[in-house]
Amino acid sequence: MRMETSGAAAPAAGGQTDARVEDVLGQLTLEEKAALTVGRDAWTTVPVERLGVPSVWLSDGPTGLRKARGGADMSVGHNIPATCFPTESALGASWDVDLVRAVAGAIADEAQAEEVQVLLGPGVNLKRSPLCGRNFEYFAEDPVLSGELAAAFVSGLQERGVGACVKHLVANESETDRMITDSVVDERALRELYLRPFEIAIDRADPWTLMAAYNRLNGTYCTENTRLLHEIVEGEWGYTGIVMSDWLAVNDRAAGVAAGLHLQMPHAPTADAVAAAVREGRLPEERLDAIVRALLAFVFRVDAARRPDATADPDAHHRLARRAAGESIVLLKNEGALLPLEGETLSEVAVIGAFAREPRYQGAGSSQVVPARPVETIHDELAALIGPAGRVTYAAGYGADGATEPALLDEAREVARRARTAVVVVGLPASYEEEGADRTHLDLPPGHNRLVEAVLEAQPRTVVVLVNGSAVALPRAGRAPALVEGWLGGQASGGAIADVLLGRVNPSGKLAETFPARLEDTPAYLSFPDDGTGRVPFAEGLFTGYRWYDARRIDPLFPFGHGLSYTTFAYGEVTSRIVGKSGKEVDGNGHRVVLV
Ligand code: BGC
């Protein structure tokens, strides 16, 4: 674990750029200026060829590069293959800024090789409720941890010449009706929690872009929110990059320009409305000029950072993905030092659960990467690493989407009973956690719970491996003697989990989010996802995450920061030494004390 960041060596907009910006700005017609504030298609910006203003390509993030096959292609699942790294919720548990920076650097190299200038990530919304369907795309429940990791991600991208886009500004902590909800947040919680990761990322790493969220903030859409964009981000924080809209988040383009929204994405026929607002005196031309000035500086900056000869090494990136997944795994429980598996316990290992062969390794939605390499499975990687030292058997254990199937349960019991050790892989199917929807409960699918129960009856030496992007309640799986949180660990997560189970990697991840004992214990339980009228009251105020559990003295299942390792630690008798100027030792309270 390492928590420390330093600023990225990003190519800055210098005096020459300023002069070029002013020169181009002075030659643009009103219509051209208005056109620049709206995307050309789904993924690119409008060029002005006669003045040498190039188009810029933007692609999702943050799990890897999701480059569409064409500027108009908004489909998910048919993109250009790229390395699928662990999701942000996994990386968050590493608490490791160097690791996050290295992952972002690798993504940047792939972006450069595919001529992408901006990666749409990292996401820094907080895990206000474990039910948020998109928590897999966010780092933590804590704003400082989120901000520091985000700064590392931004630096990793930008030092390799690819702009970051820190998203979603702000208070987009739920997915239900996300395009119309109104997040009602008090000033202190807004400043100290929800704005904080953006502020830290800007302060430490100067992201070239930000993304304004779909929702309203205290009554006004974020994409039109003067107080948010103009007064706080630009005015108070001195941010000089550009703010783009989330995709389809714009309602009134001219109001957005007035508020400080530089770029509307994707394309919409709204440029005329911007030009008309200027012509009719509703939008001062100086305001449009300020927006276009920042846009031009951004375009010239990313253009100068292009590395046309860039190449990426998919095999090296696959190895990095495996290392990153391994560093993120959290050992939640290990009674009787059941793990790591070694010696005799390997003679027959029953791997049970369809996820062990048909892995879930990333979240569903806009961040979904088409993996560049075959996705590793826990079953195959364990079998390969164990080799002739033992035998790996398999049973699927549950049906599609986690349904209980009695015949599969019987088979699982039998396979577990015969083995020396059982590894049961359960978690959340894709339909349980996805962008655009929130969960309604924290449970594993019924078939997964039944499977754990059945295997525990048949085999006491059972390790449960969890595959999920966000906290879950574990009434059954929590009874297993060993419990490993494997997250959605990307294309190499199967190997990373096998590495930890066999002790090739010492688990060192620590939870970046509380695992509650019950949904009713969670901070936003009474106000999530909304109050039924489209308002999302952030009623718990400052008491999110561990603050809530501490203040109310509620014992969670596993607290923020929890995570074991294979190392054993022992605390001995405490002695203190205070060394005095005289160098004389003073004996007080039975301790040896030396004054400094
Ligand atoms: C998501 C963004 C994403 C954008 C482009 C939106 O629906 O909220 O995070 O970057 O789509 O795919």
Side-chain angles (χ1 to χ4, degrees):
M1 286 200 281
R2 269 208 72 232
M3 285 298 302
E4 221 177 81
T5 34
S6 58
Q16 270 184 341
T17 314
D18 292 348
R20 188 170 167 210
V21 165
E22 293 308 321
D23 180 45
V24 171
L25 184 63
Q27 297 182 60
L28 288 170
T29 65
L30 173 60
E31 285 66 28
E32 284 172 328
K33 286 191 251 184
L36 278 170
T37 70
V38 185
R40 174 169 69 173
D41 50 30
W43 305 111
T44 68
T45 63
V46 168
V48 186
E49 272 152 29
R50 73 180 181 90
L51 297 174
V53 180
S55 174
V56 164
W57 193 299
L58 322 161
S59 284
D60 279 303
T63 309
L65 177 70
R66 182 176 80 89
K67 187 182 184 192
R69 292 189 182 269
D73 179 7
M74 287 191 63
S75 63
V76 175
H78 304 99
N79 309 112
I80 289 170
T83 307
C84 183
F85 287 97
T87 57
E88 274 191 33
S89 63
L91 290 176
S94 77
W95 294 58
D96 187 336
V97 288
D98 291 337
L99 180 75
V100 169
R101 196 167 177 158
V103 166
I107 297 174
D109 284 350
E110 296 190 16
Q112 285 281 5
E114 290 295 343
E115 298 183 47
V116 168
Q117 285 81 47
V118 173
L119 188 98
L120 304 174
V124 296
N125 298 91
L126 300 185
K127 295 164 201 274
R128 179 178 167 244
S129 166
L131 295 178
C132 174
R134 214 174 174 183
N135 275 358
F136 64 83
E137 251 186 275
Y138 303 134
F139 286 122
E141 68 186 25
D142 178 73
V144 175
L145 179 57
S146 296
E148 292 291 344
L149 293 173
F153 198 101
V154 171
S155 300
L157 287 174
Q158 296 188 172
E159 64 202 1
R160 314 288 298 155
V162 172
C165 181
V166 185
K167 63 190 188 182
H168 309 85
L169 184 73
V170 63
N172 182 184
E173 264 68 5
S174 49
E175 291 292 290
T176 307
D177 295 332
R178 62 181 176 167
M179 291 188 138
I180 50 172
T181 45
D182 181 15
S183 296
V184 183
V185 194
D186 73 69
E187 185 69 12
R188 191 166 164 203
L190 182 65
R191 298 282 184 159
E192 294 184 19
L193 299 175
Y194 301 101
L195 284 172
R196 192 83 182 102
F198 292 94
E199 193 180 6
I200 293 172
I202 290 172
D203 184 48
R204 299 265 201 291
D206 186 23
W208 299 348
T209 79
L210 306 177
M211 186 185 289
Y214 287 118
N215 53 284
R216 299 172 207 242
L217 171 65
N218 294 329
T220 308
Y221 279 111
C222 291
T223 54
E224 298 164 15
N225 200 312
T226 303
R227 177 159 150 65
L228 172 68
L229 302 181
H230 189 51
E231 293 175 15
I232 298 179
V233 174
E234 200 184 321
E236 290 182 32
W237 296 351
Y239 179 64
T240 55
I242 66 150
V243 184
M244 69 182 80
S245 70
D246 198 343
W247 268 231
L248 304 170
V250 167
N251 308 282
D252 179 337
R253 185 65 193 104
V257 171
L261 183 79
H262 300 86
L263 180 63
Q264 170 176 6
M265 288 303 293
H267 174 76
T270 50
D272 288 351
V274 173
V278 173
R279 255 187 253 105
E280 290 158 19
R282 286 178 285 116
L283 176 66
E285 186 151 10
E286 308 79 70
R287 193 69 204 120
L288 177 60
D289 283 354
I291 290 291
V292 174
R293 188 175 283 117
L295 270 169
L296 290 172
F298 154 73
V299 170
F300 294 149
R301 179 183 229 181
V302 295
D303 194 44
R306 282 177 205 250
R307 292 188 280 123
D309 52 351
T311 54
D313 179 346
D315 293 322
H317 290 182
H318 184 84
R319 288 193 294 276
L320 174 61
R322 183 160 173 161
R323 178 164 75 84
E327 296 290 325
S328 305
I329 289 169
V330 181
L331 179 61
L332 293 170
K333 201 174 163 189
N334 193 17
E335 280 173 12
L338 184 53
L339 289 172
L341 304 178
E342 51 200 353
E344 253 306 284
T345 63
L346 293 176
S347 61
E348 185 159 340
V349 179
V351 175
I352 301 172
F355 278 175
R357 273 200 171 158
E358 297 147 38
R360 216 185 140 231
Y361 56 96
Q362 65 174 329
S366 60
S367 64
Q368 210 170 306
V369 167
V370 174
R373 287 285 175 272
V375 175
E376 293 178 355
T377 73
I378 298 174
H379 173 271
D380 292 358
E381 294 300 315
L382 265 180
L385 290 178
I386 293 172
R391 209 163 82 87
V392 172
T393 53
Y394 172 76
Y398 44 78
D401 241 20
T404 307
E405 288 196 19
L408 295 181
L409 276 180
D410 288 344
E411 183 199 16
R413 260 189 219 100
E414 190 47 32
V415 168
R417 201 186 44 74
R418 278 201 322 258
R420 287 296 309 271
T421 316
V423 173
V424 184
V425 186
V426 292
L428 297 178
S431 61
Y432 274 53
E433 46 179 355
E434 55 184 337
E435 179 180 341
D438 294 310
R439 279 189 287 167
T440 53
H441 61 79
L442 293 176
D443 299 327
L444 300 181
H448 290 210
N449 278 326
R450 288 287 298 115
L451 176 65
V452 172
E453 219 162 38
V455 174
L456 280 174
E457 278 162 20
Q459 175 56 261
R461 298 179 53 82
T462 291
V463 179
V464 170
V465 175
L466 297 170
V467 176
N468 48 294
S470 182
V472 284
L474 297 168
R476 306 287 202 299
R479 289 187 213 140
L483 192 56
V484 175
E485 177 52 79
W487 305 115
L488 302 178
Q491 67 186 41
S493 56
I497 290 168
D499 288 340
V500 165
L501 294 178
L502 298 179
R504 289 163 47 99
V505 167
N506 187 11
S508 62
K510 310 281 171 222
L511 292 180
E513 60 198 279
T514 306
F515 274 41
R518 326 175 296 155
L519 180 60
E520 291 83 347
D521 292 345
T522 59
Y525 178 63
L526 292 176
S527 55
F528 189 93
D530 58 32
D531 67 359
T533 70
R535 282 162 39 103
V536 182
F538 283 45
E540 69 286 357
L542 289 179
F543 294 95
T544 61
Y546 56 85
R547 294 169 178 76
W548 172 265
Y549 296 92
D550 282 353
R552 302 201 63 134
R553 300 196 181 164
I554 298 171
D555 283 335
L557 180 61
F558 297 110
F560 176 83
H562 175 74
L564 310 174
S565 79
Y566 296 148
T567 310
T568 49
F569 298 89
Y571 293 97
E573 192 192 332
V574 179
T575 57
S576 56
R577 275 165 58 87
I578 307 172
V579 180
K581 282 198 186 98
S582 62
K584 207 171 158 193
E585 295 198 5
V586 181
D587 197 8
N589 300 328
H591 298 300
R592 272 183 67 223
V593 178
V594 185
L595 284 175
V596 196

